[in-house]
Amino acid sequence: MLKKNLKLNILDKTIMLLGGSMKQKLLKAMSVLAVGAVLLASCGTQKVTDVPDDVSAPKSSSASGTGKESTVKPGDISYPLDSDKTVSWYIQDAPQPHEKFADASESPFHVKLAQNLGVDIEWMFPTTGSDGNMFTTTLMADPDSLPDIMTVYFMDKANQYLEDDIIWDLTDYIQEYAPDYYAWLQTNPAYDSAMKTDNGQYYCFGFFREDGGWNDTYLGPVVRKDWLEECELEIPTTISEFEHVIKVFNERYGATFNSAFGRYNAMGICGAFGAYGNAVAGNGWYIKDGKVRFGQAQPEWREYMSWQNKLWNAGLIDRDILTEDDTTIKNKIHNDKCGIAVTSMGQMTNWNQERVADGKEEVWIGIPYPKSDDGEISCVFGGFGIGTQTTVITKAADEETVKLCMQMLNYSYTKEGSLYWNYGTEGETWEFDDKGVPAFTSLVTDDPDTNPMTKYNGTTWNGPAIQATNLLYLKNSKAACDANDTWFYVWPDDEEKNMAVTGGWKWPVGVTFTIEEADELDEISQNIPIYVSESYAAFLTGSKDINDDAVWNKYLEDLETYNLSRVTEIRQACYDRYKNR
C-alpha cells in the first residue's frame, strides 16, 4: 500500500524544493493531482483515472499573481478553433516527426493535431544532423523573424527574453485563453512556481510527468539475471557487491561494465559515495541544507572518481564508455560483452525485445542503485515531474495571434487533448480496454519500427503537455516497469527519505536568473562545464591521478580560476528568490 501512496502523493512532496517548514502550507494548497489524463497502470498499480468535473481555476486569482479574474473555466474552450490564421511553430527537440517521415506533412501526429486544433500550422525543426541548441541560437539571432511558437529550453533566461521583447508575458491572458492549463498549474505550487518568473510573470507552457518522481526516475542499473544465476550471485545492493558482480562477469565472460555515456554521464552511481553528479557540470549543482553546492568540487566526488579509475585500470569498465551511445552499445549487449550497465526503461525494453526477436530469452532486469557499504545513498537520477523544455510565444505574434496560440497550447491540458497527445486518435491508434484504460491498437503494437507510438503521439519524450504514466507502461515491458519501481523506491518505507534521494537534492526546474545575473554568467561560467568534462575523462583514464593530493588541489584551484565561487554565489541568490515565490 505504501508504494501506491508514494506514487500518488509524489507531487505533494515537492515541498522539499521549497523547504520543509512550509509543508503544511503546501498540503493545504494542493488540490487534484491529475488534470487531462486517464491513468491506470497496466502493470498492476492503480493510477488516477479521470478528470474531476469541478476542476477549475480559483475564484480569486490574486494568490497566483495574475491580478485579474476570468469567467472562463476549464472546458469552456471548444475545439476545433476553426481559425483562418496560419501559426508557425518551431520545436527544437520533441515531438518531431518519426524518422520514417520526410517532414511534418507526412507525420500523423502533426497533421491530426492541426486538424484537432482547427488551425493551419507551419512546422519548423532543426535541420537533420544539426545541433538543436545551435540551431535555436541561430534562429534567435533574428528576433523579428522568429516563429510564433517555440518549444525550447528558455527557463533560466526568461527575464532576459521578456525584457528584450522576444517572448510574450502571458500573465494577463492565461486564465482566459488557457484555462485548463492554468487550472493544472494550480494543482501544485511547484508547477505554478516553475512556469513563471520571480516577479510572477507567466511566460511559458511546460512539460510535466503525471506521477512526478516515479516518471522522472526512468534510468538506473540493470543486470543479466541469467548470469547472476549461473554465477550463483545475489542481486547487488551495496557498492562492494556491485563491484564484485562486475569482476565475476569479467572473469567468467570477459564482459565489462558499460553504458551509453548519455545515460551515465549525468549521475552514474555516484550516490553510493555520497556524491552528486558524474561527468556533466549541469547535473552537479545540488541543494543541501538550503545551500547551493557544486558536486564535482566535493571530496565525495573525488572518492567516486577514484573508484571509477580503479575499475578502469583493472579493465572492468568498457574502453568505449566515453563515446558509447544507445546505438553502438547494442552490439556489445547482443554479443555478450556486457552484463551489468546503467540504462533507461526504454533501452532495457529494447535489449530484451531484440533478444526475443533473435530467439533468445529476456534476461535484463533492473537492480537497485547501489548504496554505500554502510547502507547510505545521497541521490539517484530523478526529479519532480517538471521538464526543462518549455513552449513560449514570441513577439513575432501580434496580440490576437497570441490569444490563438494560447488556446492551441491549452488543448493538451484538456481531457480530450491530453488523450490525443499521449495516445493519438481514439479508434485508430488506441481504444479503452476492459478496465477503461487506454491501450494501443495493433496499428501501433504490430508496427516493427522503433518507437512506433511516436508516429501518432506527442508526449513520449517531451512537449507542452502532461505525459501519462500509463503511456510509459504501454511503451515499456513489465520488466522495465518493475525496474523503474526498483530504481525509484530507494526507501519504500519512508516517503520523506525517498523523496530526499530521488529529487530533494536537485537544483529546481524553473529558476530564472535576473538579466544582470544571466549576463554575468554568460561571461564567467562558460569554462566550468568544459573543464569538468575534460577532467572527468582524465581522472577516469588516469592521465590525471585523482588520488594525488597535488593534482586534486590543482583541479580545485583551476575551478576557482573559472569563477566557481562567484557562480555559486549567483546561483544561491537565484535559488533563494525561487524559494520565496
Side-chain angles (χ1 to χ4, degrees), residues 153-160 203 510-514 518 571:
Y153 300 87
F154 274 1
M155 280 184 163
D156 57 356
K157 292 188 176 181
N159 285 314
Q160 180 175 329
Y203 66 91
V511 296
T512 51
F513 296 111
T514 66
R571 283 180 171 264

Side-chain angles (χ1 to χ4, degrees), residues 350-363:
N350 292 339
W351 294 356
N352 278 331
Q353 287 178 343
E354 288 165 9
R355 284 184 61 88
V356 172
D358 290 339
K360 303 175 183 178
E361 65 174 344
E362 296 186 6
V363 295

Side-chain angles (χ1 to χ4, degrees), residues 402-414:
V402 169
K403 296 173 182 177
L404 175 63
C405 290
M406 294 187 72
Q407 291 175 321
M408 293 167 61
L409 294 170
N410 179 72
Y411 174 69
S412 62
Y413 305 91
T414 67

Side-chain angles (χ1 to χ4, degrees), residues 299-319:
E300 294 85 1
W301 187 78
R302 182 188 185 188
E303 183 182 355
Y304 175 48
M305 283 307 313
S306 177
W307 178 80
Q308 291 185 82
N309 170 250
K310 179 181 70 172
L311 266 60
W312 178 275
N313 291 337
L316 300 177
I317 292 181
D318 192 283
R319 286 299 193 261

Side-chain angles (χ1 to χ4, degrees), residues 228-445:
L228 282 181
E229 293 167 357
E230 289 174 10
C231 298
E232 299 182 338
L233 296 172
E234 299 292 329
I235 289 176
T237 59
T238 68
I239 192 62
S240 291
E241 293 169 352
F242 195 90
E243 180 179 337
H244 180 64
V245 170
I246 296 174
K247 290 178 178 178
V248 172
F249 285 0
N250 181 256
E251 293 168 358
R252 182 156 180 176
Y253 307 107
T256 55
F257 172 72
N258 202 359
S259 176
F261 198 56
R263 308 289 181 184
Y264 186 66
N265 61 7
M267 295 294 301
I269 52 175
C270 66
F273 298 85
Y276 298 84
N278 193 19
V280 181
N283 293 88
W285 293 104
Y286 69 102
I287 313 296
K288 190 169 185 178
D289 300 325
K291 298 298 182 182
V292 177
R293 307 183 188 189
F294 187 57
Q296 286 94 339
Q298 307 303 320
E300 294 85 1
W301 187 78
R302 182 188 185 188
E303 183 182 355
Y304 175 48
M305 283 307 313
S306 177
W307 178 80
Q308 291 185 82
N309 170 250
K310 179 181 70 172
L311 266 60
W312 178 275
N313 291 337
L316 300 177
I317 292 181
D318 192 283
R319 286 299 193 261
D320 295 327
I321 194 170
L322 291 170
T323 57
E324 207 84 88
D325 60 28
D326 286 335
T327 299
T328 59
I329 197 175
K330 283 185 178 181
N331 180 61
K332 294 172 182 176
I333 295 297
H334 299 322
N335 287 288
D336 301 331
K337 300 299 183 182
C338 175
I340 188 167
V342 171
T343 194
S344 67
M345 291 175 69
Q347 291 305 310
M348 189 186 116
T349 296
N350 292 339
W351 294 356
N352 278 331
Q353 287 178 343
E354 288 165 9
R355 284 184 61 88
V356 172
D358 290 339
K360 303 175 183 178
E361 65 174 344
E362 296 186 6
V363 295
W364 289 97
I365 61 170
I367 57 176
Y369 273 87
K371 299 175 182 175
S372 71
D373 291 341
D374 294 331
E376 296 300 321
I377 186 169
S378 57
C379 62
V380 303
F381 185 89
F384 291 96
I386 307 172
T388 57
Q389 186 191 63
T390 57
T391 299
V392 298
I393 303 172
T394 77
K395 281 301 185 83
D398 58 29
E399 187 172 15
E400 289 307 307
T401 304
V402 169
K403 296 173 182 177
L404 175 63
C405 290
M406 294 187 72
Q407 291 175 321
M408 293 167 61
L409 294 170
N410 179 72
Y411 174 69
S412 62
Y413 305 91
T414 67
K415 184 183 298 186
E416 172 192 347
S418 185
L419 286 169
Y420 179 74
W421 270 79
N422 279 285
Y423 307 109
T425 302
E426 184 178 6
E428 180 181 341
T429 59
W430 69 275
E431 298 277 9
F432 286 109
D433 64 15
D434 57 3
K435 296 180 180 178
V437 180
F440 286 123
T441 65
S442 59
L443 177 66
V444 177
T445 58

